[in-house]
Amino acid sequence: MTKARNLSLLSAVEAGATADQTKADIDALGINGANKNWIINGDFQISQRGSYTSATALTTSSVYHLDRFKSKHNNISGTLTHKLAQTVDGKVTNTMLLTATAGSNGRVESVQRIEATQPFVSQTITFSAWVKSNNASSRLIIHQDGANIQTSSNQHTGGGAFELLKGTVTCAANSGDIYLYAGIQAAGTGNVAIANGHYFEMAFVQVEHGSVATDFEHRTYAESLLACQRYYEIIADGGYDVDHMFGIGHGVKSDQINWFYDFKAEKRAAYTLIVASVSGGYHAKNHSVYKSHSTLGMTATVQSLHSISAYMTNIGGVTEQSAWTMQLNGAACHIAVSAEF
Amino acid sequence: MNIETVKMESGCYRVNGTMIVPPSTDNADYVFVQEWIAEGNTPTPQYTDEEIAATAQAELNVSSQAYLASTDWYITRHAETAEAVPTAITLARATARAAIV
């Protein structure tokens, strides 16, 4: 719905409408103030895990590529491509493209699980996205995990142009976790007939309260990045800065230095530490002395959701309580944490 | 996630050498590891017997070298003043030298 139509509808209700009617119309329009969109990275600005502007193979198990969206194929093969600066609905935006590279009865899909559950209980929500596809089984689906209910948007015509797909559902009292599926798939997220070359390209993905699909809520890059960092955060990236200092360490025993790092965003849950293995890639420096190792680790205890306390071990000559700075030593070095679903 | 190797490490699982996964059911990777174990796979210890032996030897090397360094002054004193090195020190230094590999 365009802003002009929104205003027209509001103007209409203002003339002689009761307060309840006006509130109902406002609710239907989804005017919920800031942050109406429950989808994070719905315009695909954020891609912390790497660059996917070239077609990247999908697997049968779901994998995160662009932030917050987990993608896979089933019973076919497929690729994912991050397309930059595409014109959709008269606006320039990034999109995510899923392409089948083999034909069969299968599906390609991306899914985002929304962390919040309570705001959806017994509430009406509308989900929408602009989708370009050449397969008429392209659709969006809201899955209420607690109630095991799937609700499909309208299907794409398969005509090869961008179309607005949208759907509205009143969630159950036991709606539980809410998932948004997007792709070429059956209404219940099952397989459909797909030919080699069929594609699903989406933009402006949104889930909002109310019964009307309103204009996509744009967020700044910084806002989106911070939201994504609750689920995945890069601590240090040698590809960006080969000798990046990433933490402060202290000697705890003769062969181990513990180091810590404060996160930019509190993590959703207990997180996985991901460290690219690089020979001599991680340094601990103390004046002119340095220790190095190919990897780092962390213990199962002493972790908080705000920071990480990790270690470099199997190194000799460390004095207890000595101070160290932790530093990368190479472009292939990479440290991140993941608290994704 | 395609799991190839899982090692126990400090109460976590090190998966494929690069992912350190905490034992929490809220962690998606931990759930994958549990499924992998349920399929009949077994995580390996953090260190093999050879690695444990190598680590122990490395620690022995460090402590032995430190002992030799701390008692070098007996040798220097003997060289400069001819005062004898105590027998216990001589024996202990021999043991320390022999322990270093």
Side-chain angles (χ1 to χ4, degrees):
Chain A
M1 176 174 285
T2 65
K3 287 178 180 174
R5 287 183 61 193
N6 291 348
L7 293 174
S8 171
L9 180 53
L10 277 177
S11 298
V13 299
E14 281 171 0
T18 66
D20 285 347
Q21 287 170 330
T22 302
K23 181 180 183 308
D25 286 329
I26 289 174
D27 287 346
L29 286 167
I31 302 174
N32 303 309
N35 296 318
K36 67 180 179 182
N37 189 2
W38 288 95
I39 293 296
I40 296 172
N41 200 27
D43 54 357
F44 306 111
Q45 294 187 82
I46 311 300
S47 183
Q48 294 187 86
R49 291 173 179 78
S51 174
Y52 304 103
T53 52
S54 298
T56 303
L58 295 172
T59 61
T60 54
S61 54
S62 290
V63 173
Y64 287 96
H65 299 87
L66 305 185
D67 277 62
R68 299 261 43 231
F69 286 92
K70 194 162 60 170
S71 305
K72 72 170 187 177
H73 74 79
N74 183 263
N75 204 39
I76 54 172
S77 59
T79 60
L80 176 147
T81 309
H82 189 199
K83 297 181 73 174
L84 307 179
Q86 304 297 299
T87 299
V88 181
D89 189 31
K91 309 176 187 85
V92 177
T93 186
N94 296 344
T95 65
M96 183 163 73
L97 169 66
L98 307 175
T99 305
T101 53
S104 184
N105 192 52
R107 66 182 186 272
V108 287
E109 69 181 28
S110 283
V111 58
Q112 181 169 141
R113 177 174 166 180
I114 298 171
E115 183 178 351
T117 55
Q118 292 180 353
F120 296 95
V121 173
S122 304
Q123 298 299 303
T124 298
I125 59 171
T126 294
F127 50 104
S128 60
W130 283 85
V131 173
K132 184 164 80 172
S133 180
N134 54 357
N135 184 305
S137 291
S138 293
R139 51 163 52 94
L140 313 173
I141 296 167
I142 282 286
H143 169 68
Q144 302 174 53
D145 198 53
N148 192 25
I149 297 172
Q150 294 83 37
T151 305
S152 174
S153 69
N154 58 308
Q155 295 170 240
H156 197 279
T157 62
F162 273 106
E163 301 172 7
L164 179 62
L165 304 188
K166 57 186 178 180
T168 296
V169 59
T170 298
C171 296
N174 61 338
S175 52
D177 296 316
I178 302 294
Y179 296 72
L180 176 74
Y181 287 84
I184 305 173
Q185 57 193 330
T189 71
N191 291 345
V192 294
I194 299 182
N196 186 0
H198 277 176
Y199 61 85
F200 180 98
E201 184 175 357
M202 61 178 161
F204 299 136
V205 185
Q206 184 155 278
V207 172
E208 59 194 306
H209 278 76
S211 57
V212 176
T214 64
D215 284 354
F216 179 78
E217 178 189 47
H218 180 76
R219 292 174 185 158
T220 65
Y221 182 90
E223 286 175 313
S224 291
L225 176 60
L226 192 59
C228 292
Q229 284 173 329
R230 176 164 172 77
Y231 307 92
Y232 184 91
E233 181 175 333
I234 296 170
I235 293 176
D237 179 7
Y240 184 76
D241 181 5
V242 295
D243 52 4
H244 182 77
M245 286 188 181
F246 59 87
I248 302 297
H250 71 281
V252 292
K253 53 184 180 177
S254 63
D255 69 342
Q256 183 170 316
I257 294 168
N258 285 4
W259 59 274
F260 70 91
Y261 172 87
D262 285 332
F263 295 135
K264 298 178 180 68
E266 179 185 285
K267 294 296 163 279
R268 178 191 68 83
Y271 44 80
T272 296
L273 172 65
I274 305 162
V275 183
S277 182
V278 179
S279 179
Y282 302 94
H283 281 184
K285 293 192 174 181
N286 181 346
H287 303 293
S288 59
V289 179
Y290 75 88
K291 307 294 178 183
S292 71
H293 207 285
S294 61
T295 190
L296 305 163
M298 71 171 183
T299 60
T301 56
V302 309
Q303 304 302 334
S304 83
L305 300 180
H306 302 275
S307 63
I308 182 171
S309 175
Y311 58 71
M312 174 188 284
T313 192
N314 291 330
I315 48 177
V318 176
T319 303
E320 287 187 30
Q321 304 305 326
S322 54
W324 303 80
T325 56
M326 308 304 294
Q327 193 168 0
L328 301 184
N329 181 43
C333 299
H334 194 89
I335 310 169
V337 292
S338 174
E340 269 291 5
F341 288 106
Chain B
M1 180 169 58
N2 182 29
I3 296 179
E4 296 175 355
T5 62
V6 179
K7 276 189 171 186
M8 301 296 297
E9 181 177 323
S10 303
C12 297
Y13 294 112
R14 182 177 286 268
V15 179
N16 299 339
T18 59
M19 299 171 61
I20 299 90
V21 178
S24 168
T25 53
D26 285 335
N27 182 287
D29 299 316
Y30 176 76
V31 174
F32 282 127
V33 171
Q34 293 305 298
E35 291 172 355
W36 180 81
I37 292 172
E39 291 168 1
N41 299 294
T42 304
T44 57
Q46 181 171 2
Y47 301 113
T48 63
D49 291 344
E50 292 76 14
E51 288 170 330
I52 292 171
T55 300
Q57 182 61 57
E59 291 175 353
L60 184 57
N61 288 349
V62 169
S63 61
S64 298
Q65 287 166 344
Y67 178 75
L68 288 170
S70 71
T71 54
D72 277 348
W73 68 273
Y74 285 106
I75 310 305
T76 303
R77 185 181 67 179
H78 175 69
E80 293 177 350
T81 69
E83 184 172 341
V85 176
T87 303
I89 297 296
T90 301
L91 291 174
R93 284 177 60 87
T95 301
R97 276 195 302 276
I100 296 173
V101 176

